[in-house]
Amino acid sequence: MRIYFLGKNTKKTRSFSLKSLIALSIILIIGLFYSVERYIDFRLNQSDLDVLSVVDNSLELDSTGSNKAQLDAYIRQISELYMRLNYIDQQTDRIQQIMKKQIVGKEKLPTLEKDDKSSSGGPFINEELRHEDVSLALDNLMAKVDAREIQYNQMEAMMLKQTVLKLTLPTLYPVDVPYRSSSYGWRHDPILGIRAFHNGLDFGAAHGEPIRATADGRVKTVGSGPDYGKFVVIDHGDRLETRYAHASKIFVKEGDLVQREDVIALVGNTGRSTGPHLHYEIRYKNRSLDPRQYLKK
């Protein structure tokens, strides 16, 4: 079967077979379905993007709100710490009034710098605080705490020097080199890379430098461990002791009686150490003291 189409020019006719017409119709239908499907996919994707945009915006708002709450919490904590520092200063003033009546001699009581006590009123309050502002306030707070720790250690040393311990306090330098300044207390740990409390002083002596007992006493412990390396502990009586760590060689044994200036070991690099040095501690009732307050040349 054939179908004839007549144009304006009747002399020319065009004919199509039925099979050709059916094939053309199928192609048109398929094209229509494909176009409709593509349009629907586009609308669905656009809808998904709109939803994701809303979710992202809500997450951003939640994150901003969370950061704001965290920042407010830091500010409250800083304010509390400033208030507690002021209270500690008041207690320190009262203790010093008592010490003035009991301390023998003309040794002057340690005081804070004037700028260090100008913290009345706590930190500033501002609704537009940034993380940088909080970090700056924390650094300032840490500096104030460090200053008060030094003042406390000085006061403690003055009181101990007035007790029966004054005859047994270790005052000799354990090696014939100066210590690394400010190595006692909170500092940046060279191995862990974080702030950590350092219980003693580090003396950057050469490998093999003699280590001397800083006061008379009895050798309590000779040992080796992952932190101290090879170490010696000397008991000076009344729960007062000194510790000498990272040694390369030890000349004493447990129970030996030693005198001030006796060579007990040699400087080394054993244990948790980044180079040859002596780690030296003074402990009273198992609590570390600041050796800087006792050493005398």
Side-chain angles (χ1 to χ4, degrees), residues 247-263:
S248 60
K249 189 173 183 179
I250 297 174
F251 300 123
V252 295
K253 62 182 183 299
E254 293 181 8
D256 285 353
L257 296 177
V258 295
Q259 294 182 337
R260 174 186 166 98
E261 297 190 21
D262 283 352
V263 176

Side-chain angles (χ1 to χ4, degrees), residues 169-177 203 205-206 208-217 219 232-234 236 241-245 247 249-252 258-268 277-282 295-297:
L169 284 173
T171 58
L172 182 74
Y173 272 64
V175 288
D176 194 23
V177 294
F203 293 81
E209 184 81 16
I211 301 172
R212 302 180 185 275
T214 55
D216 297 350
V219 177
V232 178
V233 180
I234 298 179
H236 304 284
E241 64 182 38
T242 51
R243 299 183 179 185
Y244 312 78
K249 189 173 183 179
I250 297 174
F251 300 123
V252 295
V258 295
Q259 294 182 337
R260 174 186 166 98
E261 297 190 21
D262 283 352
V263 176
I264 59 173
L266 299 179
V267 171
H277 73 285
L278 168 66
H279 172 81
Y280 173 68
E281 294 182 17
I282 302 177
L295 295 178
K296 294 179 181 179
K297 269 294 187 182

Side-chain angles (χ1 to χ4, degrees), residues 64-186:
T64 303
S66 176
N67 290 338
K68 178 72 165 55
Q70 189 178 35
L71 196 61
D72 290 341
Y74 285 147
I75 293 171
R76 287 194 297 271
Q77 291 175 358
I78 292 173
S79 300
E80 179 185 345
L81 288 174
Y82 268 90
M83 292 174 62
R84 293 172 69 177
L85 274 180
N86 288 332
Y87 179 68
I88 290 173
D89 287 343
Q90 294 172 9
Q91 288 183 314
T92 301
D93 291 339
R94 289 195 294 269
I95 293 173
Q96 287 195 339
Q97 293 302 319
I98 298 173
M99 289 179 63
K100 286 180 182 178
K101 300 176 182 178
Q102 297 180 351
I103 296 297
V104 179
K106 298 181 179 180
E107 195 170 0
K108 187 177 179 181
L109 290 170
T111 57
L112 293 171
E113 297 291 336
K114 291 183 178 179
D115 292 343
D116 219 8
K117 296 189 74 172
S118 60
S119 58
S120 59
F124 49 87
I125 301 299
N126 190 324
E127 292 183 356
E128 298 180 356
L129 284 177
R130 301 167 300 168
H131 283 282
E132 292 80 2
D133 300 321
V134 175
S135 178
L136 183 62
L138 286 173
D139 289 342
N140 186 28
L141 189 59
M142 293 300 295
K144 292 179 181 296
V145 171
D146 290 342
R148 281 152 182 79
E149 284 181 347
I150 293 174
Q151 183 192 29
Y152 172 80
N153 292 332
Q154 291 173 339
M155 291 170 57
E156 182 182 43
M158 291 179 65
M159 288 188 290
L160 286 177
K161 290 173 184 177
Q162 298 296 321
T163 68
V164 293
L165 293 175
K166 63 183 178 182
L167 299 177
T168 59
L169 284 173
T171 58
L172 182 74
Y173 272 64
V175 288
D176 194 23
V177 294
Y179 59 85
R180 300 172 186 172
S181 62
S182 301
S183 62
Y184 176 82
W186 289 96

